[in-house]
Amino acid sequence: MKLRSLRGPTAALTTLALAAAATLTAALGAGSAAAATTVRVGLGGYSDARPAGTVGPSNSDGAPVTPKVTPRTAGQAAPTNDWWSSLIYQRYAGNPYSENLYAHPMTFKAQAAGLEVGYPTTPTVTSDGRQYDYTHTRDLTLGVAGLNSPDTKVDGWSDWTVTPYWADGAHTFSATIGHGLPYVFAHATGGAAQVTTASAPTVFSNQGSVLGITVGGHSYGLFAPTGSSWNVNGTALTANLGGKDYYSVALLPSPADLAQFRTYAYDFVTDTRVGWNYDQAAGKLTTTFTATTTAQEGTATGTLLALYPQQWQATPDALTALTYTSPRGTMKVRQGSSFSTVQSVTGVLPSLPDAGSYDRAALDGYLHQVSDASDPFHGATDTYWVGKALGQLSQLVPIADQLGDTAARDKLLGLIKGKLQTWFAGTGSPGFAYDPTWKTLIGYPASYGTDAELNDHHFHYGYFVQAAATVARYDTAWAADSQWGGMVKLLAKDAANTDRADTRFPWLRNFDPYEGHGWASGHAGFAAGNNEESSSESLNFSAGLLLFGAATGDTSLRDLGVYLYTTEANAVQQYWFDADHQVFPAGFQHSTVGMVWGSGAAYSTWWTAAPGMIHGINFLPVTSGSLYLARRKDDLAANLAELKAGNGGAFTDWRDLLWEAEALTDPAAAKTDWDAGNAGYTPEEGESRAHTYHWIYDLAALGTLDPATTADTPTAAVFTNGSTRTHVAHNYTTTARTVRFSDGYTLTVPARSTASERGTEPDGGTGGATGSPSPSASASPSPSASPTTPQTRAGTLYPQPGGTLTAAYGTGATGSTIASGGGANHDGTPYQPLTYTLGHLAGTLRPGAGTDFDLYVDAGSSVALAQQARVSYDFDGNGTVDRTETYRYFATDPVPGWERYNATAAGLRSTTGAPLTDLSNGTVTLEVWPALGNAPAQLRTGATQSQGNASVLRLPFD
């Protein structure tokens, strides 16, 4: 969240001055830091108290605040920046309860009598079509009869749940609520369980201890202890708990679902955990969501969990037919206590390779406009604008290195190091101070509420981490924990601590692991819940973790970056860009939003209504970590087309950022726009002419991202320009390595270098990571050039003319004819298929892995054709098919040329048979047939590695 009423470093100083005046009470109330000491971290450190005259977490009146918790949770690191943080951070002196809480599918609000519950299903859209909200509207209030609590405190939390607590001396009440939970799990003492409805309920089922009601068009199940009974008296529903202290309420998709929800009504969710595993060899990220339940009566286990779109789109687990409405689109229900998602990892490059046809002298001239500036930091003093300046300089270092301008490269590195070391010294302001009450690291001078509201830490600190990753690339010793790297990792921990034993910081402060994206506001003190504006700055933080971890050999930090980056990139595609057109409601008139709220989203920013900035705030900063924006080139093109259409066919505000975004979907158009307009624009504050010129001309040569191809390193990407494919990978380590891409291509990357088909570019400077980032020994080996004996190890297989699968590339590409479908629909049923088989296979299943393939097909100029594939497994070679996987068909275009049919992109249509298991003398069969159409097509088989575009079947076995 950035309250940018003004824009730029000078404006930030004005904002700081106003903020200081408004919060003088907080500064004086908390005292100064005269006795502060420096806590050493390597060569740097941080202060154990904030600088004199500065502020810490405060309410809207400027008074200091402390976490609003019960004695049971006192002293624990408070989870700020969450969907429920208004429970723990009292932003307004007159509201000791909470603001609206958007858990999805249910909404909540704490008040004196207990917990309001709602389920908004109809959005309100502003008359100008710029904002939509599913605003909390009360259906029920849950509590205990007679409760009149003076406040609400937090009694516990887990990865995606929270337990608020009420007490008034005679009564106590608590309720566990969470993302994806269709239940409220309540404990009450001092009176009868009480549910008050907003209007007279319709009772559709009364079974004593189980009551089914409809209020405001929404159905709920009320579950008291067995043996008790619900009493309905107008809008008051009570149940004597009979000496017990529990009851639950469930949101029902329909009244007919009451019995199913009763099954788990007494299995209270008492903990939730998220875990992840990056399978480097397979280029896959598996995330597991687990809920722990405790039975209040009986012995049942399990629960029901509602999945967001970015989760159900990626889960291999079975889902029920139950659904809910939410501001993020349809939520689908999983029966059980856990589920997993599997996502492809598309990499992050430290910089684009030197591929453009730019005028190198002109590029170097643009570079020196920044490196030789009298003040390269533009007068910036606070964490955000210093960070922006560091980001600008960091993007120029590899360009200088590519140009052979080592003097400029080293000057830029010196500027970055000097500024980081000043901030990391731990001796006051500028610097970082630790707040032991809220357990957070705050940079001073602060800005945009990073101090008083705990806003935006991931946004601001992401620039520092990215800058440090650039330094580590060229001077690894500087980034050692014993030098300055320890402070970099401490900043990372403040926003994204994953060590549950490290009580200095909360777990994943700025990231919501269930909803899949970051939150910016520390207190979430808004009627619309929490918010995040610049999703791209959140991803800049994640990309920085990935790159700094890779550059220093810290695979744990690197893999945290992989998890955050991959997860949020997929969430942003849905909730900021609505790539599948399933999230934004009818009446909302834009293809993108500037900010997402708990209740919905808005085509706006905190500081301007200028369309270019509304679009651009979710692009900046443009770095090689921005490649995720090109995963859906169609959606990005529509986003930019809307903007151009509203601006008379051209970009106006932030033209450089928008040209760079355009280069990710249409490089030729971006080059034309740059060539026509580069002489008359002012660069965005974190951009430079040199970087924009380099970026646009590089992509004009490389083409656009191929999101379907992954690699066995997270620092790799593939680009396509017509029929030319360029595989790019960076190796931070001190030894050469071979990178294997999922399209079958292998690339040798020397130590400390970027390599591609276009050549090798060694990094200047010194050092290199000594840890091995190579895949574990269980990774599938690279295929040999020409095997002479049949392969018995399952891994990567290539279809060959004549119906065989081999572990090696072919000897020459040919087109195998896929029969005409005869105008009939063969979706899901093989029709005259091309069949490729290999037997006598052995392999150990990789946990969480699945089948994948790239099949190159060509329909020529024929229209309305679609090809389909099926993979069958006979695990033990006894002649019986044990498992069949049928994939959704691939619709070919009527333009001659090979197109890639990718399993991950297409997705599974159906599976039959047993789960995947180890192969022992097993057999695998690939079938390809015409699903639709009335003309033949071609499948590319037998290609050599040098020919490229080799059809490949990748099996999930080691």
Side-chain angles (χ1 to χ4, degrees):
M1 183 188 74
K2 292 184 177 62
L3 291 170
R4 303 180 189 174
S5 56
L6 301 170
R7 175 89 189 173
T10 304
L13 290 174
T14 303
T15 304
L16 285 169
L18 293 172
T23 54
L24 180 60
T25 303
L28 296 174
S32 67
T37 59
T38 298
V39 179
R40 286 293 166 198
V41 180
L43 296 181
Y46 61 91
S47 175
D48 66 354
R50 66 176 184 266
T54 61
V55 302
S58 314
N59 68 14
S60 61
D61 296 328
V65 292
T66 58
K68 198 156 56 78
V69 296
T70 64
R72 192 170 76 87
T73 54
Q76 297 182 30
T80 59
N81 306 83
D82 215 330
W83 64 269
W84 56 267
S85 290
S86 67
L87 278 166
I88 204 168
Y89 189 132
Q90 186 175 340
R91 179 60 176 161
Y92 308 104
N95 182 2
Y97 303 104
S98 81
E99 301 305 317
N100 293 339
L101 307 170
Y102 293 88
H104 308 150
M106 285 193 278
T107 61
F108 306 99
K109 186 176 184 179
Q111 45 112 315
L115 182 68
E116 292 184 5
V117 179
Y119 175 46
T121 54
T122 301
T124 57
V125 181
T126 56
S127 59
D128 59 5
R130 295 171 66 97
Q131 181 168 337
Y132 70 89
D133 292 282
Y134 291 77
T135 304
H136 167 70
T137 302
R138 182 178 79 92
D139 284 341
L140 317 172
T141 301
L142 314 186
V144 55
L147 177 65
N148 185 22
S149 179
D151 57 25
T152 305
K153 294 183 171 70
V154 175
D155 194 46
W157 56 81
S158 65
D159 289 2
W160 69 85
T161 67
V162 64
T163 302
Y165 177 87
W166 294 255
D168 64 4
H171 313 84
T172 67
F173 178 67
S174 67
T176 296
I177 55 178
H179 276 325
L181 291 189
Y183 294 96
V184 178
F185 300 108
H187 288 277
T189 66
Q194 179 170 285
V195 176
T196 305
T197 59
S199 59
T202 298
V203 177
F204 61 81
S205 178
N206 190 338
Q207 304 169 40
S209 62
V210 176
L211 188 70
I213 63 172
T214 299
V215 179
H218 307 138
S219 297
Y220 295 90
L222 281 56
F223 305 94
T226 299
S228 61
S229 296
W230 286 98
N231 176 61
V232 180
N233 183 10
T235 59
L237 291 67
T238 56
N240 190 318
L241 297 178
K244 307 292 177 51
D245 72 343
Y246 59 85
Y247 71 97
S248 67
V249 173
L251 173 64
L252 307 178
S254 75
D257 300 313
L258 179 63
Q260 184 172 359
F261 278 73
R262 180 177 186 172
T263 303
Y264 301 107
Y266 303 102
D267 296 341
F268 280 27
V269 171
T270 53
D271 190 27
T272 57
R273 291 276 178 128
V274 173
W276 58 88
N277 177 64
Y278 170 41
D279 184 343
Q280 186 177 340
K284 300 287 185 182
L285 174 74
T286 299
T287 306
T288 303
F289 301 82
T290 303
T292 300
T293 60
T294 300
Q296 304 301 298
E297 56 183 64
T299 59
T301 60
T303 190
L304 296 169
L305 297 168
L307 279 62
Y308 285 109
Q310 95 280 356
Q311 294 171 317
W312 57 254
Q313 288 171 350
T315 186
D317 300 321
L319 303 176
T320 69
L322 304 173
T323 63
Y324 291 105
T325 298
S326 87
R328 308 292 176 257
T330 300
M331 300 182 79
K332 299 185 178 183
V333 177
R334 162 80 170 163
Q335 181 171 308
S337 57
S338 68
F339 66 92
S340 63
T341 61
V342 181
Q343 302 171 87
S344 294
V345 175
T346 55
V348 174
L349 295 171
S351 59
L352 293 181
D354 186 9
S357 60
Y358 21 71
D359 181 323
R360 301 180 81 81
L363 179 59
D364 200 39
Y366 290 147
L367 178 75
H368 279 269
Q369 289 177 1
V370 178
S371 65
D372 296 343
S374 59
D375 178 11
F377 291 93
H378 319 296
T381 60
D382 64 273
T383 49
Y384 185 71
W385 291 103
V386 167
K388 291 275 286 185
L390 286 169
Q392 180 195 56
L393 299 176
S394 298
Q395 294 306 307
L396 296 179
V397 172
I399 297 175
D401 199 40
Q402 291 173 4
L403 291 172
D405 191 342
T406 56
R409 179 199 68 199
D410 294 343
K411 182 177 182 179
L412 290 164
L413 285 169
L415 290 168
I416 296 167
K417 289 179 184 178
K419 186 63 70 173
L420 289 174
Q421 288 168 201
T422 297
W423 277 82
F424 290 166
T427 55
S429 179
F432 291 91
Y434 183 72
D435 185 313
T437 301
W438 286 93
K439 299 188 183 299
T440 183
L441 203 63
I442 302 174
Y444 293 96
S447 57
Y448 305 118
T450 52
D451 50 355
E453 301 179 55
L454 298 184
N455 296 336
D456 298 352
H457 284 201
H458 57 328
F459 292 168
H460 295 214
Y461 300 172
Y463 288 104
F464 285 72
V465 175
Q466 278 278 13
T470 297
V471 174
R473 179 179 177 184
Y474 298 93
D475 185 355
T476 310
W478 182 94
D481 288 355
S482 59
Q483 293 198 28
W484 301 98
M487 277 301 296
V488 179
K489 292 180 180 179
L490 199 67
L491 285 190
K493 267 186 174 288
D494 177 75
N497 176 34
T498 58
D499 182 356
R500 296 181 190 272
D502 188 343
T503 58
R504 294 175 299 172
F505 304 101
W507 190 77
L508 289 181
R509 180 193 307 279
N510 281 101
F511 191 74
D512 186 326
Y514 203 85
E515 197 160 338
H517 60 79
W519 291 116
S521 171
H523 51 72
F526 304 96
N530 213 323
N531 72 88
E532 180 161 272
E533 181 185 59
S534 182
S535 61
S536 47
E537 285 181 308
S538 183
L539 278 144
N540 182 56
F541 172 77
S542 305
L545 300 185
L546 189 161
L547 294 174
F548 188 80
T552 58
D554 187 336
T555 55
S556 178
L557 186 62
R558 181 203 68 179
D559 292 357
L560 169 60
V562 168
Y563 162 69
L564 295 174
Y565 182 87
T566 302
T567 305
E568 186 154 23
N570 287 330
V572 167
Q573 211 79 62
Q574 298 300 321
Y575 310 139
W576 274 257
F577 300 146
D578 195 17
D580 292 329
H581 309 295
Q582 298 295 316
V583 176
F584 298 169
F588 183 74
Q589 298 174 8
H590 299 279
S591 62
T592 186
V593 298
M595 56 202 311
V596 162
W597 288 89
S599 63
Y603 185 77
S604 64
T605 71
W606 280 106
W607 82 99
T608 182
M613 294 182 180
I614 293 171
H615 289 248
I617 194 61
N618 284 292
F619 298 152
L620 65 79
V622 174
T623 73
S624 294
S626 304
L627 295 177
Y628 72 94
L629 293 167
R631 290 181 180 179
R632 291 290 297 270
K633 290 186 285 289
D634 57 338
D635 179 68
L636 180 57
N639 181 317
L640 296 170
E642 175 193 321
L643 182 58
K644 273 192 172 182
N647 283 340
F651 299 132
T652 52
D653 303 301
W654 285 354
R655 281 181 284 173
D656 45 1
L657 291 175
L658 300 172
W659 291 333
E660 289 171 309
E662 186 177 42
L664 290 167
T665 183
D666 189 345
K671 183 174 179 293
T672 298
D673 284 346
W674 161 268
D675 289 343
N678 71 80
Y681 81 99
T682 300
E684 186 270 336
E685 293 92 340
E687 258 302 343
S688 65
R689 291 180 185 276
H691 179 252
T692 302
Y693 183 31
H694 182 271
W695 176 270
I696 291 171
Y697 269 66
D698 256 352
L699 290 175
L702 293 168
T704 56
L705 179 76
D706 173 8
T709 300
T710 60
D712 62 358
T713 174
T715 53
V718 180
F719 301 87
T720 59
N721 190 346
S723 61
T724 301
R725 294 173 61 74
T726 303
H727 300 74
V728 184
H730 187 81
N731 177 12
Y732 281 103
T733 72
T734 54
T735 57
R737 64 154 300 184
T738 297
V739 174
R740 175 179 174 271
F741 291 85
S742 62
D743 62 0
Y745 191 83
T746 57
L747 180 68
T748 298
V749 188
R752 299 189 63 246
S753 296
T754 297
S756 72
E757 289 91 335
R758 296 170 180 269
T760 298
E761 303 162 18
D763 287 341
T766 59
T770 55
S772 172
S774 300
S776 64
S778 64
S780 301
S782 298
S784 57
S786 54
T788 57
T789 59
Q791 298 298 291
T792 58
R793 209 73 186 154
T796 302
L797 303 177
Y798 300 87
Q800 304 296 338
T804 61
L805 292 167
T806 67
Y809 287 95
T811 57
T814 188
S816 298
T817 300
I818 304 171
S820 167
N825 187 330
H826 304 293
D827 181 17
T829 304
Y831 174 78
Q832 298 182 21
L834 295 176
T835 303
Y836 303 88
T837 301
L838 183 63
H840 306 292
L841 290 168
T844 302
L845 180 66
R846 289 196 302 273
T851 311
D852 199 10
F853 58 73
D854 288 309
L855 302 176
Y856 286 89
V857 294
D858 180 18
S861 58
S862 299
V863 299
L865 269 60
Q867 317 307 322
Q868 195 159 27
R870 184 169 80 174
V871 179
S872 303
Y873 292 95
D874 174 357
F875 297 131
D876 54 10
N878 67 354
T880 300
V881 174
D882 299 302
R883 177 180 175 84
T884 298
E885 301 175 352
T886 303
Y887 291 82
R888 293 188 179 94
Y889 62 68
F890 177 78
T892 49
D893 64 32
V895 180
W898 297 111
E899 299 178 75
R900 183 182 307 150
Y901 174 16
N902 173 256
T904 302
L908 275 169
R909 182 185 186 278
S910 64
T911 60
T912 60
L916 285 167
T917 188
D918 297 346
L919 291 177
S920 177
N921 199 40
T923 299
V924 173
T925 300
L926 167 69
E927 298 168 276
V928 183
W929 70 92
L932 302 172
N934 196 24
Q938 298 288 308
L939 172 68
R940 185 174 170 90
T941 57
T944 65
Q945 182 174 6
S946 62
Q947 288 177 316
N949 289 351
S951 293
V952 59
L953 172 64
R954 290 177 291 277
L955 305 181
F957 304 97
D958 295 325

